[in-house]
Amino acid sequence: MNTRMLCVFHVIFLSVYEIQSKSHPKPSCGYPPSQWCRSLEIAIECGVQKQCMELNATRPDPVVPPVEISLYYESLCPGCRAFLTEHLFPTWILLKDIMNVNLVPFGNAKELPEENSFSCQHGEPECYANMVEACVLYSASHAAFPVIYCMESSADVLKSAKPCLQLYAPFVKWGTIESCTRGELGHSLMHQNGVKTQALKPAHTHVPWITFNGEYTSEWEDKAMSTLFNLVCRLYKGIMPPVCTGALKKLDRSFC
């Protein structure tokens, strides 16, 4: 991760810490912090009724759509792995309330209909890893992104697939993923990813290829590679959440 990115996330985490410190005084109750605002009764018992009301007031407006980020990538591409693990996933962890992530593992692969198979830039292992991730996205739903982050941040993407699934999506059996990759479903998912990738306008010329709300610009891509957090905050059309406003103000004052 480059120096500027480290600076950005340092500022972000300082801001999050300050927001949480101000919003959550230490109560004397038997509930963990994650449960304090679950109900009015718990909030009153824990002495955080005012803070919970403020928190609810700053939640994203459900009428305002989140920023849609689509990543067209290859599972074994070094640049794709770096962007996903160093920029996209950390930003999503902080801003998941105002952004959605769509992962499309295919990239520069080619479908070979006559052979009922695919050809991938980084060989057969990448074709299999692409399909594993496509099956994880299909089967693991909300837990899919953490599973794929776990895989892509490991030394061996394929060897880590099973333990990553067991860690982040224990409700999905590894056998389900294996069956998907060996059967019609896995092939169909890869075909769909290929169709999505080929339909890009403008056509993709490299990977990772990143679109925002269905649109691609080289300017947005350049910003995504360095300050994705800032870009998402600025593209969001609703009232910025505290994590955005606090971090951006501090970043503007910093020397980074």
Side-chain angles (χ1 to χ4, degrees):
M1 192 181 297
N2 59 39
T3 303
R4 178 168 178 78
M5 194 63 191
L6 284 171
C7 172
V8 169
F9 280 105
H10 175 71
V11 170
I12 291 166
F13 282 114
L14 282 177
S15 176
V16 172
Y17 176 79
E18 285 186 7
I19 291 167
Q20 290 178 335
S21 297
K22 292 177 182 177
S23 301
H24 299 301
K26 295 180 180 178
S28 55
C29 67
Y31 295 91
S34 60
Q35 302 294 313
W36 290 348
C37 297
R38 192 180 69 181
S39 70
L40 178 60
E41 291 76 14
I42 295 176
I44 292 174
E45 181 179 340
C46 294
V48 292
Q49 182 180 358
K50 178 183 176 183
Q51 288 77 15
C52 288
M53 291 175 66
E54 291 174 349
L55 178 63
N56 288 331
T58 59
R59 280 180 176 162
D61 186 343
V63 177
V64 179
V67 179
E68 293 280 343
I69 300 180
S70 295
L71 174 64
Y72 298 81
Y73 72 105
E74 298 167 352
S75 57
L76 301 187
C77 160
C80 298
R81 295 178 67 184
F83 175 73
L84 190 153
T85 60
E86 297 177 11
H87 300 273
L88 185 58
F89 187 78
T91 299
W92 176 75
I93 287 293
L94 292 167
L95 298 178
K96 62 177 68 175
D97 285 342
I98 65 167
M99 67 182 280
N100 288 335
V101 172
N102 304 302
L103 299 177
V104 186
F106 193 85
N108 295 318
K110 292 181 173 57
E111 187 168 4
L112 307 174
E114 65 281 359
E115 300 178 18
N116 196 36
S117 64
F118 299 88
S119 171
C120 297
Q121 186 165 321
H122 298 91
E124 182 58 31
E126 181 169 79
C127 280
Y128 181 62
N130 285 348
M131 191 173 291
V132 167
E133 294 190 357
C135 290
V136 167
L137 288 163
Y138 178 84
S139 303
S141 183
H142 64 279
F145 196 9
V147 173
I148 290 174
Y149 165 77
C150 177
M151 292 172 60
E152 294 293 342
S153 61
S154 68
D156 191 310
V157 173
L158 283 172
K159 285 184 179 179
S160 66
K162 183 177 180 179
C164 286
L165 184 75
Q166 293 171 335
L167 179 62
Y168 290 103
F171 55 91
V172 180
K173 303 297 183 184
W174 177 245
T176 301
I177 303 300
E178 285 187 313
S179 297
C180 175
T181 60
R182 293 171 181 167
E184 291 261 333
L185 178 57
H187 190 280
S188 174
L189 293 173
M190 286 305 299
H191 169 74
Q192 293 171 33
N193 285 348
V195 170
K196 291 177 184 177
T197 303
Q198 295 304 316
L200 285 167
K201 294 188 183 304
H204 85 285
T205 56
H206 55 269
V207 288
W209 187 266
I210 311 151
T211 66
F212 293 84
N213 299 323
E215 298 182 19
Y216 170 87
T217 72
S218 57
E219 179 184 359
W220 282 350
E221 183 176 78
D222 289 342
K223 289 181 178 178
M225 293 295 181
S226 56
T227 55
L228 179 62
F229 178 91
N230 286 7
L231 180 59
V232 173
C233 287
R234 296 188 190 283
L235 287 177
Y236 182 60
K237 301 301 183 182
I239 297 174
M240 281 190 185
V243 67
C244 276
T245 54
L248 292 178
K249 284 179 182 177
K250 288 198 170 196
L251 191 61
D252 289 340
R253 294 197 302 266
S254 73
F255 292 99
C256 300

